Amino acid sequence: MKNLALLISINLFWIFSFSQKASISGYVTDASNGEALIGCKVYLPSIKNGVLTNNYGFYSVSLPIGKYTIEYKFSSYVSVMKEINLTKDTSLNVEISSQINTLNEFEINAKKGENVNSAKLGQVELQMEQIKTLPAFMGEIDVLKTIQLLPGVSSVSEGGQGFYVRGGGPDQNLVLVDEAVVYNAAHLFGFFSVFNADAVKGVTLTKGGMPANFGGRMSSVLEVNMNEGNNKNFKVKGGIGAISSRLTIEGPLKKDKGSFILSGRRTYIDLLMKAAIPDTSPFAGSGYYFYDLNLKFNYKITEKDRIYLSGYYGKDVFTFGNTEDNFNVDMPWGNGIAALRWNHLFNPKLFMNVSATFTDYVFQFASNQDQFRFSLNSGIRDVGAKIDFSFYPNTKNKLRWGADYIFHTFTPTSISAESDSVVFDTGLAQKLFSHESAAYITDEYDLSENWKFNVGLRYSSYQHVGPFTRYIKGDVGVSDSTINYAKNEIIKSYGGFEPRFSFRWLLPNKSSIKGGYSFNYQYVHLTSLSAVSLPTDIWFPTTDKAKPQSGWQTSLGYFKNFDNDKWETSIEAYYKGMNNLIEYKEGALPGDNINDNTDNLLVFGRGWSYGVELFVKRSFGKFTGWIGYTWSKTERVFEDLNEGNPFPAKFDRRHDLSIVATYKLSERWTFGSSFIYATGNTLTLPTSWYVQEQNLLFNYGARNSTRMAPYHRLDLSATWYDKPTKTKIDPITGLKMDIKKRFRHNWAFSVYNVYNRANPFFLFVDNDGDFLNGDFKLSVKQVTLFPIIPSVTWNFEF
């Protein structure tokens, strides 16, 4: 009876408590175009607390009934103050105005203190306005190249695709565009990313303390959010550069309710090559180009329901021909991505998002010589769905939970070959099917003013299903055999819990300590035969033989701001362990999996990485930028490679330094620079040679025991802007008036590799002379890609 009375008393207490509270919720948007502002700070000075808007610009705050002042702050925007007498649940949508061209301290540094106060660990947000001021290779603004300037992030190589985060491989980064997965985020063999800067709103990279709502990768999450389109006026913008041009059209479907954006980009390298190579040349017809197209619609159905449809399609086409040898190559590859999302607001505290996604990545290679024809195809197709709930009970607590599902279809390799009328038996095309699903819950909780926690738990599961043929290779004297699995038959299942935890301990003098731990499963792999990452790398799923990758990471950092939050500094240390990594066997070739399974050519091992990252950033005033330095060590060990001894990963870099600076001289001129220094990549070279039956053979040293020369480069840029207004004379008063121009333009000048550094792309062994004559010599030669490259781009909008 006492327990029943106590339970009734507790319930009455909660009912009474919540009856004394009400919620303020709504959306924060850009006053000029209606774009949702992600990460806008909604701050209440009276309680010294607040919240940030989510990826759709939504916020919710639950407070005791009373009068409040609410401040809405966002980087480079004018801060807005609202007075409200809160007596019941209230919807309050707010528009704030951009002031990008002003140099007011308060406006530019609207997120002052977030470096110290936030519980986010290893997370960096970049706005496109900031990215566009930095030097750009051949005038092409590049999101991926910008994040590679951050500590803990390094490029694969000059001309390589992908990026490495804290010792993880390029396949261990989850790249999302409006929640759809991107498998190959590069154009032109890695020189440009697939992200058209005119279509991108902002970028968020999480490299440590990955929250539980993300999974499927071990190292990082790169979220790229596309612009939604102007829902107030029609706008056109674009640019003409040295090797490509782009055009973006946006406008309202219905004013203040819906909008669209269509953005396209294409290179004209093929046209330049066609003009440079005469028709009489044996290489006539060789060329390269890429194009991509972004499309997005959004519409507010009701005050509680909104829908978003996003699409992307991009393709690279490389052709090479030599009429003298009657030889030609065609190599196209590309991505197709679509995402449909529905937001629903159940009440001021409960927000839901439902997503359906589609991803298709295809790579093809075809060659002809005389009567012989050869082709190779590979790719991956995903169809997925996801549901997420966000619950905001009060200013100290944010609860999220949800589930997701993906159906994978992998085509690691499909080979065909024929000569004249003879068709060679290359076996059936490999297709592998699998189901991947997960459920999660995470809670961000302020225990006190000094302690904040983010605790989450994710459970993921994976099933490799048929139809599938398993080739079992027999030992000596034993015949090979096969096992055939029927459609939807479960071949192998995996799964497990993935705990996530991070904290922030606020210290005096604007400083804090942050730490975290995360454990992740990864059910996809990327295999490569080359020393650099190329589109020919093969995506491969977890199977009954290739187990899922698993990894854990722990990190600890100290964060401190100086000079009234004008300078942000941090030092973070991390350790990462990785299991079930894959590599090709020694001597394996892509054609070896004819009438065989790709995973029969693989070997399995583990790895680890640890390091320290230093970061100093100034995001205030005329002079802004950052310095990032990483000391790290990354090693691998495979029982079947390097005699079972540990060896450095090919992307192991002991030192990595980036210095980025932007200076706004005036309203008309902005200057930018970036300097990069990195320890050279590793590779395996011969240590000696010998002759056997008049054939030159090599003895190789330990795996990745040779290191290239250090990589360093300086880039500079300057951007000139036209005057934003024009002067007119009022015909009645005769007074001069400044009127905002409808047509705006700017010129962006940049110089890549200012001091013409010959950075190594790869090394190879060459020989001169004849060993029978005694004048034979071996030498290691370096291939370098880019000298100093100046460029200019004209950008416009109206």
Side-chain angles (χ1 to χ4, degrees):
M1 198 67 180
K2 288 183 179 179
N3 291 336
L4 179 61
L6 178 61
L7 181 61
I8 293 173
S9 300
I10 292 173
N11 286 332
L12 289 174
F13 170 77
W14 281 109
I15 293 172
F16 178 77
S17 297
F18 278 104
S19 68
Q20 303 304 305
K21 288 189 174 184
S23 296
I24 306 168
S25 62
Y27 294 84
V28 183
T29 57
D30 187 316
S32 65
N33 54 32
E35 288 271 0
L37 297 181
I38 301 171
C40 176
K41 189 170 185 178
V42 183
Y43 184 71
L44 293 97
S46 60
I47 64 171
K48 297 181 180 180
N49 206 341
V51 297
L52 299 177
T53 57
N54 67 8
N55 282 358
Y56 303 93
F58 176 78
Y59 74 96
S60 177
V61 185
S62 294
L63 300 163
I65 289 173
K67 294 183 178 181
Y68 295 94
T69 298
I70 306 177
E71 190 175 3
Y72 298 84
K73 300 190 291 184
F74 192 68
S75 180
S76 299
Y77 282 69
V78 177
S79 185
V80 171
M81 309 284 285
K82 294 286 185 179
E83 303 286 341
I84 186 169
N85 184 12
L86 186 63
T87 59
K88 60 179 181 179
D89 288 345
T90 302
S91 177
L92 182 59
N93 297 329
V94 176
E95 293 184 336
I96 59 178
S97 300
S98 172
Q99 291 290 339
I100 296 174
N101 290 326
T102 66
L103 297 176
N104 184 280
E105 301 175 2
F106 182 76
E107 293 165 359
I108 288 182
N109 206 23
K111 289 189 176 182
K112 292 171 71 173
E114 286 297 307
N115 174 60
V116 170
N117 297 325
S118 171
K120 296 175 182 177
L121 183 65
Q123 187 176 102
V124 182
E125 298 178 9
L126 295 173
Q127 299 299 321
M128 290 310 300
E129 289 81 6
Q130 183 182 24
I131 294 174
K132 289 178 179 179
T133 62
L134 300 179
F137 175 63
M138 292 190 177
E140 281 294 314
I141 298 164
D142 198 315
V143 168
L144 289 187
K145 280 187 167 49
T146 303
I147 68 167
Q148 290 165 11
L149 298 172
L150 299 171
V153 185
S154 59
S155 63
V156 173
S157 65
E158 189 167 65
Q161 65 181 31
F163 56 98
Y164 299 120
V165 177
R166 290 184 172 179
D171 61 316
Q172 295 176 0
N173 304 309
L174 179 63
V175 181
L176 300 172
V177 175
D178 281 354
E179 299 190 20
V181 177
V182 180
Y183 282 96
N184 185 334
H187 283 306
L188 189 56
F189 302 98
F191 296 119
F192 302 110
S193 75
V194 300
F195 308 118
N196 184 344
D198 287 344
V200 175
K201 178 187 297 185
V203 181
T204 301
L205 175 70
T206 303
K207 56 185 177 177
M210 188 185 300
N213 53 302
F214 293 114
R217 301 295 188 274
M218 293 199 303
S219 286
S220 74
V221 180
L222 179 66
E223 298 176 85
V224 180
N225 294 295
M226 290 176 56
N227 284 320
E228 297 163 5
N230 195 314
N231 68 11
K232 298 180 182 296
N233 301 289
F234 285 95
K235 292 284 186 180
V236 177
K237 60 182 175 180
I240 300 174
I243 64 168
S244 69
S245 293
R246 62 191 191 278
L247 184 67
T248 299
I249 303 172
E250 57 182 323
L253 296 172
K254 185 176 182 181
K255 191 170 183 179
D256 294 327
K257 291 202 70 174
S259 61
F260 76 93
I261 182 170
L262 175 64
S263 186
R265 178 175 58 160
R266 192 193 190 279
T267 60
Y268 25 78
I269 303 174
D270 55 327
L271 303 178
L272 298 175
M273 291 182 67
K274 186 176 182 180
I277 302 175
D279 294 337
T280 56
S281 170
F283 303 106
S286 300
Y288 169 84
Y289 67 91
F290 76 75
Y291 63 87
D292 49 37
L293 183 69
N294 293 272
L295 177 65
K296 187 171 182 178
F297 297 94
N298 76 92
Y299 196 81
K300 182 169 66 174
I301 304 172
T302 69
E303 290 300 322
K304 293 187 176 182
D305 296 275
R306 302 179 184 218
I307 57 171
Y308 304 82
L309 176 62
S310 307
Y312 167 85
Y313 183 77
K315 192 172 185 178
D316 292 65
V317 178
F318 171 76
T319 57
F320 174 80
N322 186 336
T323 55
E324 290 183 352
D325 296 330
N326 196 24
F327 174 75
N328 65 74
V329 170
D330 292 298
M331 192 164 64
W333 69 93
N335 291 285
I337 298 167
L340 177 63
R341 295 173 293 168
W342 167 45
N343 293 170
H344 178 70
L345 190 62
F346 288 97
N347 57 55
K349 296 181 180 180
L350 184 59
F351 180 91
M352 179 191 72
N353 179 66
V354 178
S355 304
T357 60
F358 172 82
T359 298
D360 187 38
Y361 169 65
V362 176
F363 169 79
Q364 296 175 309
F365 174 90
S367 67
N368 294 273
Q369 186 167 25
D370 298 324
Q371 301 298 317
F372 181 76
R373 292 175 293 277
F374 173 84
S375 66
L376 181 148
N377 301 304
S378 69
I380 178 171
R381 175 174 292 181
D382 288 351
V383 178
K386 186 178 182 182
I387 184 168
D388 298 284
F389 293 91
S390 299
F391 182 58
Y392 307 85
N394 51 60
T395 57
K396 293 186 176 182
N397 202 12
K398 179 184 177 182
L399 189 66
R400 297 186 65 179
W401 68 91
D404 57 70
Y405 165 81
I406 301 175
F407 178 69
H408 297 289
T409 303
F410 289 85
T411 307
T413 53
S414 173
I415 297 173
S416 65
E418 56 184 280
S419 180
D420 199 6
S421 60
V422 178
V423 178
F424 297 98
D425 180 14
T426 57
L428 298 174
Q430 290 190 41
K431 280 190 179 292
L432 295 94
F433 306 92
S434 56
H435 303 277
E436 182 178 348
S437 58
Y440 75 90
I441 184 169
T442 182
D443 187 17
E444 186 173 325
Y445 183 69
D446 292 0
L447 181 64
S448 66
E449 184 177 346
N450 294 332
W451 286 95
K452 180 179 286 189
F453 295 92
N454 192 319
V455 182
L457 184 65
R458 182 182 183 90
Y459 183 86
S460 62
S461 65
Y462 178 92
Q463 293 83 37
H464 176 209
V465 298
F468 177 69
T469 299
R470 164 58 66 193
Y471 293 89
I472 301 175
K473 311 305 289 184
D475 296 327
V476 177
V478 181
S479 301
D480 295 347
S481 61
T482 60
I483 301 175
N484 294 307
Y485 295 91
K487 184 178 181 179
N488 294 323
E489 181 179 355
I490 296 178
I491 302 165
K492 185 69 174 179
S493 295
Y494 300 94
F497 287 100
E498 304 177 29
R500 316 286 173 83
F501 170 78
S502 63
F503 72 90
R504 183 227 62 196
W505 177 26
L506 194 62
L507 302 174
N509 300 320
K510 295 185 178 180
S511 62
S512 64
I513 293 176
K514 302 180 188 181
Y517 170 87
S518 62
F519 182 88
N520 301 64
Y521 284 108
Q522 178 171 325
Y523 300 101
V524 298
H525 310 263
L526 187 66
T527 59
S528 176
L529 286 169
S530 63
V532 295
S533 295
L534 295 171
T536 52
D537 295 352
I538 295 172
W539 287 94
F540 191 78
T542 291
T543 63
D544 55 326
K545 188 169 183 177
K547 295 180 180 180
Q549 299 181 63
S550 63
W552 62 274
Q553 179 181 176
T554 183
S555 56
L556 183 67
Y558 176 72
F559 300 76
K560 183 171 176 58
N561 290 0
F562 295 92
D563 195 13
N564 194 28
D565 296 319
K566 296 174 184 177
W567 292 89
E568 300 176 1
T569 66
S570 64
I571 178 170
E572 288 186 69
Y574 67 89
Y575 186 95
K576 178 187 293 184
M578 295 163 281
N579 298 308
N580 299 326
L581 304 177
I582 66 171
E583 294 277 2
Y584 272 112
K585 293 179 179 177
E586 296 283 5
L589 296 172
D592 292 345
N593 60 0
I594 295 174
N595 287 320
D596 200 353
N597 303 119
T598 299
D599 53 9
N600 284 333
L601 307 176
L602 304 176
V603 293
F604 308 94
R606 58 189 178 89
W608 53 89
S609 179
Y610 52 89
V612 178
E613 300 169 0
L614 302 174
F615 194 48
V616 179
K617 179 182 178 182
R618 180 181 172 90
S619 55
F620 166 88
K622 290 186 176 183
F623 180 78
T624 59
W626 68 81
I627 299 174
Y629 170 76
T630 305
W631 181 96
S632 63
K633 189 171 185 179
T634 304
E635 292 185 310
R636 303 282 188 263
V637 60
F638 286 72
E639 183 179 346
D640 300 300
L641 298 178
N642 203 46
E643 300 180 347
N645 297 316
F647 58 88
K650 64 182 179 182
F651 43 85
D652 171 56
R653 291 181 178 174
R654 199 70 66 246
H655 305 283
D656 205 324
L657 171 70
S658 297
I659 302 174
V660 178
T662 301
Y663 182 71
K664 189 166 186 177
L665 178 66
S666 66
E667 299 296 332
R668 306 288 298 277
W669 282 99
T670 298
F671 297 92
S673 66
S674 62
F675 174 76
I676 303 168
Y677 175 91
T679 303
N681 284 351
T682 64
L683 75 164
T684 307
L685 289 177
T687 56
S688 62
W689 60 273
Y690 61 96
V691 178
Q692 183 175 327
E693 297 180 356
Q694 295 189 350
N695 292 318
L696 179 65
L697 302 175
F698 296 101
N699 290 318
Y700 285 86
R703 191 178 183 90
N704 293 342
S705 57
T706 302
R707 194 173 288 276
M708 297 184 193
Y711 182 99
H712 52 88
R713 191 186 78 237
L714 173 67
D715 304 332
L716 298 175
S717 69
T719 306
W720 174 89
Y721 301 89
D722 68 332
K723 290 184 64 175
T725 60
K726 58 183 178 181
T727 303
K728 283 192 174 183
I729 298 176
D730 190 310
I732 299 176
T733 64
L735 298 176
K736 292 182 178 181
M737 300 181 300
D738 286 334
I739 299 174
K740 188 176 180 180
K741 287 182 180 178
R742 180 173 175 80
F743 182 87
R744 298 292 312 279
H745 69 104
N746 67 73
W747 289 91
F749 308 92
S750 65
V751 181
Y752 180 89
N753 196 4
V754 172
Y755 52 85
N756 201 31
R757 162 72 174 175
N759 284 304
F761 179 50
F762 64 85
L763 306 180
F764 69 96
V765 177
D766 194 14
N767 62 81
D768 295 308
D770 190 337
F771 51 79
L772 295 178
N773 297 330
D775 60 351
F776 179 77
K777 292 182 179 180
L778 280 181
S779 60
V780 177
K781 296 185 178 181
Q782 173 180 299
V783 174
T784 298
L785 289 180
F786 296 118
I788 180 173
I789 300 177
S791 64
V792 59
T793 302
W794 180 59
N795 301 300
F796 62 88
E797 63 176 288
F798 58 89

